Amino acid sequence: MKKSLILTIAVLFLAAFITACGSSSSPDADASGASASPENTGPKTITFANTTDIATLDPRNATGTSTAGILSHVFSSLVTTDEKGQIKPDLAASYSNVDDVTWSFTLRDGVKFQDGSPLTSEDVKYTLETIRDKSKGYKLASDFSFMRVEIVDALNFKIITDEPFSALPLRLNYVKIIPKAYVEKVGDKEFAAKPIGSGPYKFVEWKKDERVVLEANDTYFGGKPAIDKVVYRVIPEAASRIAALESGEVDIIANVPTSQVANLKSMKNIQVVGGPTTRVVFIGLNTLKDGPLKDAKVRQALNYAVNKQTLIQGVLDGYATEIATISTPEYDGFDDSVKSFDFNTQTAKQLLAEAGYPNGLSLKFSVTSGYLNGQDVAQAIAAQLAEIGVKVTVEEEDSNQQREKIGAGTVADLYLNGIGGPYSNIDLVAKLSFGTGERYSTYSNPSFDQLRKKAAATVEPGEADKLLSQMQQVMKTEAPAIFLYQQHSVYAYHSRVADWAPRTDEMIMVSGSKIK
């Protein structure tokens, strides 16, 4: 079997980073500033900026990478991942796989929540039980509904899954443990407004669509952070993010347009870094609405009409890797025999005609600001689809609103989407974006659902690979999306920030960073 997703993508990311340090010609290059850092007085603060606001402060409803990043400062998980994607212990002092469906965990002794109360096995059980509780309607419910906790004592417990699931540790790094006593005392609504965790930072303020403010947790079990205050700024416009970095208002910016990389590299004290991420980017097709997208021939035609290499080289300046369906080359189970749709406008037009649309059709296309060069990608794709007679109207939406519409099945005909983050693999992409009734899915295929579940429950590596290959083949035939590329990240930061590196999961984590 191939190396694991985590190890392989870590190696690729490290290679990109090392190459960046030695060459300014690589798309994933790193440019160092030259002058001394400014004098710092008062509390040490790091401010970073991205395009979108967080969605919630309750980790049981946490969807989206920006949200996950902020909550990872406030809460702790049983296990976590480092910037290279490698799993390491967090709240768990140790864990082991007892049998196909049973995992044994021992918690660190002496961990306290930020209100001073001790963290125990009861809190772990309460966290997973409330996520699973159908009456609560939490957005993460389906991702964790197949696992339950059996308590042994205050520090020891077992997690038992309905079926074998070898990727459990990777999945668990997204579960933020919440304080049972506090939540039951104040209620879910108050907890979501004033969250308490056991992480390195305490929540201070959330001003919607503007900023989130955190302060260091003096009693954090991992030691008080070197940075006293963390501020997350929401700055949708790329030019404004770059201006804020130049002026010193922010220390780190994400989602740097590739056209600005050379300009940023030329600036004193600014560094630019980038590399492959876990994110699969595609154009979702709303097959839940009555209309042409219910026909597989139409969906295949749209795939034939998009020239991915033109997008990657001409629009993304090489900051992406072409994919055929739901897998990156680094995911376990990737099948390189499943090829991308060829760019062929004649085949696309023929398929449209066979489907009853010889004169083309009109579609709406929803785009958010959360993807690298997203607006430019959308406009380029609209132009390519126009070549086969498909008129596309591009509409920009807030990312959180778009997610709500996807879940409700009311999103536009086409929508730019991407699945990545802390526990992404073939199973997650297939489940979230193409599973029947899932939160990011506008596609339903019960036989594909069963195939995915069977693959996830298969422990023997060779058999699992065969099933994962079948999943990719079905996705190619059914074409429930226009599959595009594996996204690369591009960040810029001030050289006064030390001990910070971008992560493959795209979360911006500064809890281990310093100010020079």
Side-chain angles (χ1 to χ4, degrees), residues 399-479:
S399 61
N400 291 323
Q401 291 177 349
Q402 187 201 61
R403 290 191 195 104
E404 294 292 336
K405 290 181 180 180
I406 293 172
T410 59
V411 71
D413 307 297
L414 314 179
Y415 52 96
L416 189 62
N417 200 5
I419 299 299
Y423 57 105
S424 188
N425 57 11
I426 292 179
D427 175 71
L428 188 74
V429 176
K431 177 181 182 296
L432 292 188
S433 293
F434 305 104
T436 301
E438 293 292 342
R439 63 179 180 271
Y440 297 144
S441 176
T442 54
Y443 174 72
S444 177
N445 182 338
S447 64
F448 179 73
D449 297 337
Q450 291 303 312
L451 176 61
R452 181 195 65 77
K453 292 174 183 178
K454 184 178 179 181
T458 300
V459 177
E460 201 282 313
E463 285 302 310
D465 280 350
K466 289 179 183 178
L467 294 169
L468 293 172
S469 174
Q470 289 178 36
M471 289 168 59
Q472 293 163 75
Q473 293 168 25
V474 171
M475 288 288 96
K476 173 72 179 291
T477 302
E478 282 288 296

Side-chain angles (χ1 to χ4, degrees), residues 223-290:
K224 181 183 177 182
I227 301 301
D228 302 306
K229 184 178 179 182
V230 172
V231 180
Y232 172 56
R233 291 271 306 278
V234 182
I235 308 179
E237 302 80 14
S240 298
R241 287 196 304 280
I242 292 171
L245 180 66
E246 286 186 75
S247 68
E249 291 179 39
V250 303
D251 302 293
I252 305 168
I253 60 172
N255 219 340
V256 174
T258 59
S259 61
Q260 294 300 310
V261 168
N263 176 47
L264 284 163
K265 286 180 181 179
S266 70
M267 297 179 187
K268 294 175 63 175
N269 297 321
I270 300 300
Q271 304 209 26
V272 180
V273 292
T277 73
T278 59
R279 188 165 302 279
V280 169
V281 177
F282 54 89
I283 299 172
L285 308 178
N286 192 346
T287 67
L288 301 181
K289 290 181 178 180
D290 289 332

